[in-house]
Amino acid sequence: SIDLPCDLRGLQAELKEKLKSQKFLLVLDDIWEISQQKWEHFYAQLRHGLEGSMILVTTRDRNIAHLVATSNCKPLQLEGLPADTFWEFFKECAFDKEHPESYPHLQDIGRSISSKLCGTPLAAKTLGRLLNSNLTEEHWMAVNNSELWEQEQKEGEILPALRLSYLHLPYELRRCFAFCSMFPKGYSFERHEIVDIWVAEGFIAPQGRMRLEDVGIRYLDELRGRCL
């Protein structure tokens, strides 16, 4: 019932024919928003795959999980990593190339922090990077005792960890990150494009003889390294 351009109809017809002769695995990771109509329209051509074909969808929204589920494949609720496994992963993120055994006091604080992260790998990577930036007891205690942990949160939510990572950013990086909130979710841009905008807005702090654009690339890499 949806009018499609001729070239798109041709592509759909070609896809339908190809899927008749082979099995496929399609992974759709971290879907945030989709309507019943859009999903049915998207899924229509994929129905023609050989038996054994599969679409794997991950989402944080229970409604979406039930929307895309089929009668013979119910949504599977993923839990966080087991405590011992999560602690080993968290140590790798927090100490990186350093030996945890050299920091027994930090390990005690780290265990307390890791227990607040619901076994979520993304939270471990985010806070691990933050802790690794300053391997001092004072810094780690400040993170562990933050008031953000006391805020009400949904089960499995990692927003406190992301907020902490943001609040501990240097001023210049925080300003550049906040600027990106002007773009809609899912908006795609090239590295040089966003850096050029930061430079034009005066967000980049000069560093010696380095080009401002090169400093901006460092900013972007630092934000990515912190999972922001």
Side-chain angles (χ1 to χ4, degrees):
S1 61
I2 298 177
D3 292 331
L4 298 174
C6 293
D7 55 345
L8 184 54
R9 288 176 179 173
L11 287 173
Q12 288 189 330
E14 184 178 350
L15 175 62
K16 179 179 178 180
E17 289 302 314
K18 286 184 177 295
L19 292 179
K20 287 182 178 179
S21 61
Q22 55 188 308
K23 289 191 292 186
F24 67 86
L25 170 63
L26 175 63
V27 180
L28 304 175
D29 185 41
D30 202 16
I31 293 183
W32 282 72
E33 182 179 354
I34 191 169
S35 66
Q36 178 81 37
Q37 182 184 34
K38 287 183 178 179
W39 174 253
E40 290 180 354
H41 177 60
F42 170 79
Y43 182 57
Q45 305 305 317
L46 300 175
R47 295 176 183 271
H48 302 286
L50 288 181
E51 183 177 356
S53 297
M54 182 172 291
I55 304 174
L56 177 63
V57 177
T58 68
T59 180
R60 306 180 202 183
D61 190 317
R62 290 178 182 271
N63 293 328
I64 292 178
H66 287 286
L67 170 65
V68 303
T70 58
S71 58
N72 61 345
C73 188
K74 302 299 182 182
L76 176 64
Q77 177 74 37
L78 296 180
E79 304 295 338
L81 294 174
D84 291 343
T85 303
F86 185 72
W87 169 239
E88 292 301 319
F89 178 65
F90 184 77
K91 280 197 302 183
E92 290 288 332
C93 297
F95 291 99
D96 195 20
K97 298 178 181 179
E98 300 291 334
H99 296 290
E101 296 74 16
S102 302
Y103 303 88
H105 296 301
L106 294 188
Q107 286 201 71
D108 292 337
I109 302 170
R111 282 190 178 277
S112 176
I113 295 173
S114 68
S115 68
K116 308 175 194 289
L117 302 181
C118 306
T120 307
L122 176 58
K125 290 180 64 177
T126 302
L127 269 197
R129 291 284 186 140
L130 171 60
L131 295 172
N132 183 255
S133 67
N134 189 347
L135 297 176
T136 65
E137 190 170 340
E138 179 182 10
H139 176 61
W140 284 44
M141 285 298 296
V143 172
N144 188 43
N145 296 332
S146 172
E147 295 178 355
L148 289 177
W149 300 118
E150 300 174 8
Q151 296 182 4
E152 184 178 355
Q153 56 181 318
K154 299 178 181 178
E155 182 180 355
E157 190 177 60
I158 64 168
L159 283 179
L162 297 178
R163 290 194 190 103
L164 276 167
S165 187
Y166 169 74
L167 292 174
H168 282 79
L169 286 174
Y171 173 70
E172 291 82 8
L173 285 178
R174 195 187 307 181
R175 196 164 52 162
C176 290
F177 177 73
F179 177 81
C180 292
S181 67
M182 297 177 60
F183 296 97
K185 180 174 175 57
Y187 183 84
S188 178
F189 49 76
E190 298 292 335
R191 285 163 62 91
H192 70 86
E193 292 176 342
I194 191 64
V195 169
D196 286 347
I197 296 175
W198 289 346
V199 171
E201 293 290 341
F203 294 163
I204 308 298
Q207 294 184 12
R209 296 183 178 181
M210 285 187 64
R211 297 170 60 247
L212 291 179
E213 290 78 7
D214 293 334
V215 178
I217 291 294
R218 282 190 176 183
Y219 284 10
L220 189 58
D221 289 340
E222 177 69 15
L223 290 172
R224 292 179 63 195
R226 292 172 180 255
C227 299
L228 295 175

